[in-house]
Amino acid sequence: MTLRLYDTRAQQLRDFVPLDPENITMYVCGPTVQSGPHIGHVRAALSFDLLRRWLEHRFGRVTFVRNVTDIDDKVLLNATSAEPWWALAYRMEQEFTAAYAGIGILPPTYEPRATASVPQMQELIALLIERGHAYPAPDGSGDVYFDVRSWADYGALTHQSVDAMEAAEDADPRGKRNPQDFALWKGAKTGEPADATWSSPWGPGRPGWHIECSAMSKRYLGDEFDIHGGGLDLRFPHHENELAQSTAAGDGFARYWVHNGLVTVDGQKMSKSLGNFTLARDVLDAHDPLVVRYALAAAHYRSSLDLSESSWAEAEAALGRIRSFLERASRVVDADASVTGVDLPAAFADAMDDDLGVPQALAVVHETVRAGNSALDAGDGEAAIAAARAVLAMTTVLGLRPSTPTSVAGAHASALDALVREMITQRAQARANKDWAAADRIRDAIAAAGITLEDTPAGTHWSIDG
């Protein structure tokens, strides 16, 4: 099956045909680091981590760029005399990195900060002025605006007409030709930190929000690249403006636009401005990181996700079924075995090729778990081994491969195993002697330690609960 992705601009599923099948190029809008990440930020990053992992499986190499907006009105607003804007931005960036790593999101190939690409932004602004699509404000403020009415395709991403759009609120409107014109460069304002200002041909100032992604994607991926990703809330104005300024500058820009759905609370988008957010660190402190990853991945990436305590409980139960099967299967196959060369089930691959259908792919994982358990119950070791390797291969692709629950480091594992096996031997001897009371006491003592015994025709096996 051909990989198909929903292209927001085309408003339909499209076959994915990369520019270079040996190097897929992908740019995703990263965080504005004015404060720490909430769980919606993590869900967005995970959506593109899953897409990247599948693209790597299908094609091999993926050059993945995710930016950091480290200079912005909100960053300056949240800075204090004790913590300047650049220190705040760096600290918050580390929080995002920790949250992403916490649930196994792969680091990007490149992660540029906006402040490191100001010269490239100025070059792009100068080109837009030269082409007649941008203009410095005539009031001497140092602001530079994109002239939306100079570009006939403005509104192509969100299918809006300029007349139906609200005024852009990202800069002082006094120097604008049209209310919808947006800022490419913001002239320095009284009271702003001197170190948040760069010199430019239009006067000292700093870049607007939208120009940074156009400049950085071109710097790291070239004039045209395969996929531009981001949250659904970024389509307008951010991505609309990126598309306009890049194409007006003569670049092909993004060939596919992919947007993830939002995390909601009582039907409202989770956001810092609404104050209805749950911090990522609080969620990760309260739950197994793999459970968090599963819960966030279980809904289709384009759907809204309304999280509750039941979301974590359901994810924990689902992972428990996978772990339990792999624990049982580890008695006939190494649960940590390499999955190189193991073919993914066709239904799993078809689901992933169909616009990254992770919910359907997870259904295949659980069907395989059920089949593997049935094979173990029937004593069919060959079928159980095949199922276990398929489950390991699928969960590896999804970044959901669980560790063996009984694994404890080094000598601790050996010591625990020896003690439990000695108790199992004593219990077996008591049963052989028909001393049922002693056998029950031993089993109860093992259970009180959080250990489960499973009696099978091949002997008694143990595992740690949970």
Side-chain angles (χ1 to χ4, degrees), residues 79-424:
T80 65
S81 57
E83 185 177 44
W85 66 271
W86 49 266
L88 169 69
Y90 183 73
R91 181 167 64 86
M92 292 299 106
E93 180 185 336
Q94 299 310 300
E95 288 198 17
F96 274 88
T97 299
Y100 295 159
I103 65 164
I105 293 172
L106 298 172
T109 313
Y110 306 111
E111 192 168 24
R113 299 185 182 106
T115 52
S117 294
V118 173
Q120 289 75 20
M121 298 180 210
Q122 292 184 354
E123 290 173 10
L124 182 53
I125 293 169
L127 178 59
L128 289 169
I129 293 173
E130 180 185 326
R131 285 175 166 245
H133 299 299
Y135 58 94
D139 60 4
S141 63
D143 294 336
V144 180
Y145 303 104
F146 183 88
D147 184 351
V148 297
R149 292 191 182 275
S150 75
W151 188 243
D153 286 339
Y154 187 68
L157 180 64
T158 52
H159 303 275
Q160 301 181 78
S161 69
V162 174
D163 293 330
M165 296 177 185
E166 295 181 358
E169 298 179 352
D170 60 347
D172 194 319
R174 289 177 300 174
K176 291 184 179 184
R177 295 174 183 170
N178 311 289
Q180 296 83 5
D181 292 352
F182 58 89
L184 300 173
W185 187 259
K186 295 185 174 185
K189 304 296 188 296
T190 302
E192 292 183 345
D195 59 1
T197 298
W198 287 259
S199 60
S200 82
W202 317 287
R206 54 189 169 85
W209 178 32
H210 314 298
I211 195 67
E212 67 177 73
C213 288
S214 287
M216 286 189 284
S217 62
K218 181 172 183 174
R219 182 179 186 184
Y220 290 91
L221 298 176
D223 296 352
E224 187 174 17
F225 54 94
D226 290 315
I227 297 170
H228 194 315
L232 201 61
D233 55 330
L234 296 180
R235 287 181 306 164
F236 187 87
H238 187 47
H239 289 170
E240 188 73 76
N241 292 349
E242 284 183 52
L243 175 62
Q245 63 201 10
S246 289
T247 50
D251 296 335
F253 206 50
R255 301 176 72 243
Y256 296 82
W257 289 85
V258 178
H259 291 93
N260 65 276
L262 307 177
V263 173
T264 59
V265 179
D266 296 328
Q268 280 191 310
K269 166 195 167 185
M270 180 180 289
S271 72
K272 293 174 181 176
S273 60
L274 294 173
N276 63 349
F277 58 90
T278 303
L279 290 175
R281 65 170 175 265
D282 292 338
V283 174
L284 288 169
D285 284 346
H287 303 284
D288 176 346
L290 204 62
V291 168
V292 176
R293 184 179 179 96
Y294 191 105
L296 296 178
H300 191 270
Y301 79 91
R302 286 197 289 118
S303 66
S304 294
L305 177 61
D306 203 277
L307 290 170
S308 64
E309 281 305 311
S310 65
S311 305
W312 316 120
E314 290 165 8
E316 186 170 11
L319 276 171
R321 290 191 290 273
I322 297 171
R323 284 180 166 134
S324 178
F325 165 62
L326 292 176
E327 168 63 18
R328 292 186 69 198
S330 68
R331 298 160 198 160
V332 291
V333 61
D334 182 1
D336 291 322
S338 170
V339 294
T340 302
V342 177
D343 290 333
L344 293 170
F348 178 92
D350 287 347
M352 294 296 286
D353 276 342
D354 187 12
D355 195 29
L356 207 68
V358 173
Q360 293 76 20
L362 285 171
V364 178
V365 173
H366 288 287
E367 288 168 9
T368 310
V369 164
R370 286 191 288 271
N373 277 321
S374 296
L376 288 169
D377 293 340
D380 187 347
E382 185 176 344
I385 289 171
R389 287 180 172 156
V391 168
L392 287 169
M394 291 185 284
T395 53
T396 296
V397 167
L398 296 173
L400 288 168
R401 179 169 172 167
S403 58
T404 306
T406 55
S407 62
V408 187
H412 294 264
S414 299
L416 179 60
D417 185 63
L419 288 170
V420 176
R421 289 191 181 283
E422 175 59 27
M423 294 183 75
I424 289 172

